[in-house]
Amino acid sequence: MYINKADSDKKVRDSIVNTAILLRQCAVTCSCGAPAPPIQQKGNKYQCIICYRKIRRNDYNLGYRNRDSNSIALPKISSQILDINYYNDAISLLKEEYIKNKLKYKILTIFYKLTV
């Protein structure tokens, strides 16, 4: 079976972006102002993408749900499940996006101060 490299690269990029979106949605804000996304599929630990401070907050479950004997858990949709294979790339993407937006804000603030 032939696998098209362009299609394969697009699937990887899409997976990284989807993982980054999920992490951004679930992130808490660190005291330094940067996002602190979850560091596991399940738990209550987060880590800042800029200062690397570890934070404990709300519990989350970004993995598959287990059924327990008393109740039946509904399956999650794929966009709600963290693909740990792309975690590091997604964190790099979030960091790059945060720094770019922070820089853009600083430039606009300086420009505004010069024009006032």
Side-chain angles (χ1 to χ4, degrees):
M1 180 170 105
Y2 173 74
I3 298 175
N4 185 339
K5 176 112 170 89
D7 287 345
S8 177
D9 289 348
K10 183 178 179 342
K11 286 180 185 177
V12 168
R13 279 193 307 275
D14 289 348
S15 295
I16 292 169
V17 169
N18 290 336
T19 301
I21 289 169
L22 178 61
L23 290 172
R24 186 179 340 125
Q25 290 171 343
C26 297
V28 297
T29 303
C30 180
S31 58
C32 75
I39 60 173
Q40 305 165 316
Q41 284 185 325
K42 194 176 192 180
N44 66 347
K45 296 176 187 169
Y46 302 79
Q47 187 170 11
C48 179
I49 62 173
I50 299 300
C51 71
Y52 304 106
R53 179 174 176 234
K54 291 188 178 175
I55 304 166
R56 285 182 184 252
R57 290 269 174 85
N58 302 336
D59 289 345
Y60 54 83
N61 180 0
L62 303 175
Y64 292 97
R65 291 187 180 150
N66 295 328
R67 295 182 178 187
D68 75 34
S69 59
N70 297 328
S71 64
I72 298 172
L74 297 172
K76 290 185 174 184
I77 57 175
S78 62
S79 64
Q80 296 174 319
I81 298 171
L82 177 64
D83 189 341
I84 207 73
N85 295 322
Y86 302 105
Y87 183 85
N88 290 337
D89 292 324
I91 292 296
S92 296
L93 185 62
L94 285 176
K95 191 172 185 175
E96 180 182 310
E97 178 185 80
Y98 178 78
I99 291 169
K100 190 185 309 179
N101 287 336
K102 194 82 166 166
L103 183 60
K104 187 189 307 181
Y105 176 76
K106 284 183 180 181
I107 290 170
L108 288 174
T109 303
I110 291 168
F111 179 74
Y112 176 76
K113 286 179 181 179
L114 291 174
T115 59
V116 173

